[in-house]
Amino acid sequence: MKKNRTYAGIPEEYAKLETAKVVLLRVPYDGTSSWQKGSDRGPEAFLQASENMELYDIETDSEVYKEGIYLADAIYENSSPEKMVDTVHEITKKYIKKNKFVTIFGGEHSISIGTIRAFNESFDHLTVLHIDAHADLRKEYDGSSYNHACAVYEANETTNLVQVGIRSMDISEKRVMNQDKVFFAHEMALNEFWMDEVIEQLTSNVFITFDLDALDPSIMPSTGTPEPGGLFYYETLEFLKKVFTERKVVGFDMVELCPNPQEKSSEFLAAKLYYKMLSYKFSSKIEFEENHRFDKSSQTKKISKFKESEDDF
């Protein structure tokens, strides 16, 4: 009897929908990308890399896969960008309603229109934390509002959108972006407090949309549109750890891995980063360290706000 495929090859006892806390959705879609094609192959490359990854996380002293990770059927809808977004929205929301921590791996960034819509309908006072090289704020591009260049236009209209790592955009996007909530890469490089300033902009419920081209191409070359001047690995982990410990992250998606047969480190980085994010979400060690630090420090206004939303956790 053929064994069912599981995320990272974990034992089937940790991969059942009924008991898993986490759902992993794959959306191998690359219908609107405008330079290098191949992000539709990203989910499979990510899975293969995950199957070759150690499942003990040193930093958090945890094996987060034991919380249960269900590998859902991939979403192959590609008849049109609109139909893809509708399908992603519908299926994402179905798993949210099952009280799962829903994660999505694309595919190009247009898939996030559907994921964000589902989370915004499911959680009050939602912040979309958009980590990306590109602003993705065009109302439409190439005749469609469901283009990868429009990935967070709707989120900008309907949620608290906070953008981090931006270093490429069209001047038209400047007219719609909320610059008080945009952290440009060139400014972050000179601001040692940028992480805390981002945290202050976040509401209690946070959905993260992580475009892998936010990372510097020296560590993540295999994306559709690599941009110089991006985030590095340990500063990214430090930032994500802050977000997960100081706010309630309700889900996340990861997009724009464009695999290169000659360069495997990018897909392995994506696999490690995804697993790190789960480790931060579920690690009791992280929670203990954060609470201990809060107990020893004086209560600031920011911490008081955090305490008030404790019931949401």
Side-chain angles (χ1 to χ4, degrees):
M1 184 176 177
K2 187 178 178 182
K3 181 183 176 183
N4 292 327
R5 190 179 194 183
T6 63
Y7 163 75
I10 63 176
E12 288 190 32
E13 65 182 291
Y14 299 114
K16 297 175 182 176
L17 176 60
E18 297 77 20
T19 54
K21 291 184 180 179
V22 179
V23 167
L24 170 58
L25 277 170
R26 295 158 290 156
V27 190
Y29 179 79
D30 190 21
T32 75
S33 57
S34 49
W35 186 20
Q36 299 183 85
K37 293 286 187 178
S39 61
D40 56 326
R41 301 193 305 272
E44 177 58 29
F46 159 78
L47 270 189
Q48 288 185 15
S50 300
E51 289 164 0
N52 292 282
M53 180 181 67
E54 300 283 10
L55 296 176
Y56 169 69
D57 182 67
I58 299 170
E59 179 188 10
T60 59
D61 188 26
S62 68
E63 296 174 287
V64 72
Y65 76 89
K66 291 183 178 178
E67 301 289 346
I69 303 171
Y70 174 70
L71 182 63
D73 292 338
I75 299 172
Y76 289 108
E77 176 57 58
N78 63 3
S79 58
S80 71
E82 294 82 0
K83 183 63 176 172
M84 179 276 296
V85 166
D86 287 345
T87 304
V88 170
H89 165 246
E90 176 186 344
I91 294 176
T92 301
K93 195 166 182 180
K94 178 183 79 171
Y95 285 113
I96 294 172
K97 286 182 174 179
K98 291 180 182 294
N99 200 31
K100 304 298 182 181
F101 185 75
V102 183
T103 64
I104 304 94
F105 200 99
E108 62 168 65
H109 212 163
S110 60
I111 72 152
S112 300
I113 300 171
T115 65
I116 292 168
R117 192 178 291 171
F119 278 89
N120 192 35
E121 290 172 356
S122 304
F123 294 93
D124 293 332
H125 310 298
L126 186 71
T127 289
V128 172
L129 176 57
H130 174 219
I131 306 172
D132 199 333
H134 306 90
D136 289 347
L137 283 171
R138 286 174 166 90
K139 186 173 183 179
E140 67 172 34
Y141 192 70
D142 282 348
S144 173
S145 58
Y146 293 88
N147 189 281
H148 71 102
C150 314
V152 294
Y153 178 85
E154 183 176 304
N156 194 43
E157 300 289 308
T158 61
T159 75
N160 177 50
L161 179 68
V162 179
Q163 301 183 275
V164 172
I166 308 302
R167 54 193 190 276
S168 178
M169 61 185 284
D170 185 74
I171 195 168
S172 64
E173 296 173 278
K174 189 176 180 180
R175 292 191 283 270
V176 298
M177 73 170 24
N178 183 345
Q179 292 195 47
D180 291 338
K181 296 183 179 180
V182 179
F183 293 80
F184 292 105
H186 71 280
E187 295 173 342
M188 290 162 56
L190 302 173
N191 179 5
E192 63 179 304
F193 302 109
W194 71 264
M195 295 184 193
D196 292 327
E197 291 174 8
V198 173
I199 297 292
E200 289 173 359
Q201 296 285 357
L202 307 179
T203 53
S204 56
N205 289 328
V206 176
F207 175 80
I208 301 173
T209 180
F210 199 118
D211 188 324
L212 290 164
D213 66 30
L215 300 170
D216 193 80
S218 64
I219 63 168
M220 176 55 70
S222 296
T223 66
T225 47
E227 290 278 350
L231 292 162
F232 291 99
Y233 189 64
Y234 282 107
E235 69 177 325
T236 301
L237 293 188
E238 180 185 356
F239 173 55
L240 290 171
K241 183 177 175 180
K242 278 180 174 286
V243 174
F244 275 91
T245 54
E246 298 194 31
R247 294 296 185 271
K248 180 182 179 182
V249 176
V250 296
F252 64 84
D253 66 30
M254 191 173 286
V255 298
E256 298 286 355
L257 175 64
C258 189
N260 177 349
Q262 280 72 51
E263 193 279 304
K264 294 293 186 181
S265 63
S266 291
E267 50 216 62
F268 201 78
L269 193 162
K272 291 282 285 190
L273 188 61
Y274 173 89
Y275 199 67
K276 270 288 188 186
M277 291 171 75
L278 291 186
S279 298
Y280 290 154
K281 173 64 181 177
F282 291 99
S283 171
S284 58
K285 182 179 179 183
I286 294 291
E287 291 172 3
F288 172 79
E289 288 176 352
E290 194 66 20
N291 290 336
H292 186 62
R293 182 170 66 82
F294 287 169
D295 290 342
K296 291 177 71 176
S297 63
S298 59
Q299 293 294 313
T300 64
K301 186 176 181 183
K302 186 172 73 171
I303 302 304
S304 296
K305 284 185 177 180
F306 176 60
K307 290 283 189 182
E308 287 171 8
S309 60
E310 205 170 49
D311 291 344
D312 293 334
F313 290 66

